[in-house]
Amino acid sequence: MKIAVYGAGSMGMIIGALLSKAGRDVDLIDINEEHVKAMNEKGGQIIGNLEITVPVKALVPDSMEELYDVIIYQTKPTTNHLALPYVAKHLKPEGVVVVGQNGMPEDAVAEVVGSKNVVGCVLGWGATWMEPGVCKLTSPADLMDYHIGELDNQVTERIKVIEDLLNDAGKAHILPDLEGGRFSKLIVNCCYATMGAVVNGTFGDVIDNPKAIRCAAHIYNEAMAIANTAGYQLVPPVEGFDFNYLTFSTNEEMEEKIPVFQFMVQDHRDIRTQMLFDIEAGRYPEIDVTFNGVLLKLGKKYGVLTPVNKQVVDVIHQMAAGSLAPSSTNVDLINLPDLG
């Protein structure tokens, strides 16, 4: 089986390195020529919660020559227009694209490569690109989960093959409801990754900041109203966890649950959201296409009000435009509703 990881940045490089270590025939594809050169010369170096360097084969897209059975697709949705033509050109007719992007991205990929060639993959861990050839695993290595599913939620032979493949880079789980699994990850990202950008810090900075963690709770509450209206079957971040447990209708109920909001991502407190790296580099962040902007669109679709999410999106827009500097004090711009 010939495999490619298209988008070998922080998480993609780690996936590709671990698959290579397991003896899989895998190419790591990335547009960053210095990163590709470093990986080929020195291997893919993983630091942080896993310390290992693995010899890998890396390519820029224009150097792709082969057809692939499986392409693990890890680019940002904002670059789909550049990346997907390469994916479509180098995918075997019966091949499969494993879409590891955030948000609800499968339809956009399927428009280019065909729905029959797409499966979804929700990654339950985080990583940071450090320098060419070096990426940092910011989640515990034993929490590198992948939730995978067919677009029609069927348990097919090929999804079992993908499960076996990703078990070489962590632990894979087959989803009974792909949309529900997607939305589960979306909720967590919108609460902690976006608020991490607002406070100019990590997940840990969010859960340690009294105002930020309460903003995250309200983001969660609005998202759960959407989930329950849409009928999504959510995938708990912790075994035995009930998503509805953390919903609330009064300030008192919210305060009782703040410790759980803090505990939920304690093991991932070192994650620093990619949105901050994009803003610092002058790139427009993915807030509208993979994070809280998605909640705004779904809220409108299902008739659910999302006032806190709207304020958070506005803050990120201002940071991206340069009219608001990254600062922990940006959280003070968000007005939380008084639920009595």
Side-chain angles (χ1 to χ4, degrees):
M1 179 167 56
K2 185 65 179 177
I3 306 156
V5 178
Y6 197 106
S10 56
M11 301 175 87
M13 193 210 79
I14 291 174
I15 294 169
L18 293 177
L19 293 179
S20 297
K21 180 176 181 292
R24 299 283 188 170
D25 185 4
V26 55
D27 293 343
L28 281 67
I29 316 297
D30 201 83
I31 62 172
N32 186 329
E33 293 184 6
E34 289 186 11
H35 184 42
V36 167
K37 183 173 184 289
M39 287 190 287
N40 283 326
E41 292 180 352
K42 302 178 182 179
Q45 183 181 358
I46 306 170
I47 62 174
N49 285 316
L50 186 62
E51 298 281 345
I52 188 173
T53 300
V54 182
V56 297
K57 178 185 176 184
L59 307 167
V60 295
D62 285 336
S63 296
M64 296 170 69
E65 296 179 348
E66 300 191 58
L67 297 178
Y68 297 93
D69 299 285
V70 175
I71 297 179
I72 300 171
Y73 188 58
Q74 290 295 135
T75 67
K76 299 177 185 178
T78 51
T79 65
N80 278 350
H81 63 293
L82 299 174
L84 284 176
Y86 287 98
V87 172
K89 179 179 179 180
H90 292 279
L91 183 69
K92 290 183 179 179
E94 70 282 5
V96 59
V97 180
V98 181
V99 184
Q101 295 172 321
N102 286 319
M104 314 283 271
E106 283 79 17
D107 287 347
V109 177
E111 286 180 6
V112 179
V113 305
S115 58
K116 68 180 179 64
N117 298 101
V118 170
V119 302
C121 179
V122 183
L123 281 70
W125 51 280
T128 300
W129 189 89
M130 304 301 293
E131 61 183 74
V134 183
C135 295
K136 181 179 180 180
L137 179 62
T138 50
S139 294
D142 60 352
L143 295 181
M144 293 180 66
D145 288 341
Y146 305 82
H147 289 88
I148 56 175
E150 296 278 5
L151 300 190
D152 61 3
N153 297 322
Q154 298 298 307
V155 179
T156 61
E157 287 305 312
R158 75 172 181 180
I159 204 69
K160 293 178 182 177
V161 171
I162 301 302
E163 178 186 30
D164 180 66
L165 171 65
L166 291 176
N167 277 335
D168 283 338
K171 178 59 180 174
H173 315 266
I174 297 176
L175 284 168
D177 178 350
L178 179 58
E179 275 197 328
R182 277 285 179 208
F183 199 82
S184 303
K185 175 68 178 298
L186 178 64
I187 292 176
V188 174
N189 277 342
C190 289
C191 291
Y192 300 101
T194 302
M195 287 310 303
V198 170
V199 301
N200 190 33
T202 64
F203 283 20
D205 293 315
V206 174
I207 64 179
D208 293 342
N209 183 307
K211 177 70 177 289
I213 193 61
R214 284 159 179 80
C215 290
H218 279 279
I219 290 169
Y220 184 98
N221 219 35
E222 293 174 5
M224 283 303 300
I226 295 171
N228 289 326
T229 302
Y232 292 134
Q233 297 179 40
L234 303 180
V235 177
V238 179
E239 186 175 354
F241 179 85
D242 179 1
F243 264 93
N244 282 302
Y245 169 74
L246 284 181
T247 60
F248 51 89
S249 57
T250 67
N251 291 335
E252 182 179 3
E253 289 180 354
M254 178 187 69
E255 292 301 327
E256 291 175 354
K257 295 167 183 180
I258 288 299
V260 184
F261 280 108
Q262 294 170 315
F263 171 78
M264 193 159 57
V265 294
Q266 181 64 42
D267 287 336
H268 304 278
R269 63 177 295 118
D270 292 335
I271 293 177
R272 188 173 190 266
T273 176
Q274 183 63 41
M275 273 189 278
L276 280 176
F277 291 105
D278 287 340
I279 290 169
E280 291 167 352
R283 298 185 296 264
Y284 203 82
E286 299 175 76
I287 185 69
D288 297 313
V289 294
T290 60
F291 290 94
N292 303 64
V294 177
L295 291 182
L296 299 187
K297 294 172 186 175
L298 290 173
K300 184 176 181 180
K301 176 180 178 179
Y302 290 106
V304 175
L305 297 178
T306 54
V308 175
N309 278 282
K310 176 63 167 62
Q311 293 179 75
V312 168
V313 169
D314 289 344
V315 168
I316 299 299
H317 282 171
Q318 292 176 63
M319 292 172 64
S323 58
L324 191 63
S327 169
S328 62
T329 61
N330 288 340
V331 70
D332 296 329
L333 298 173
I334 300 169
N335 296 312
L336 299 180
D338 185 354
L339 301 180

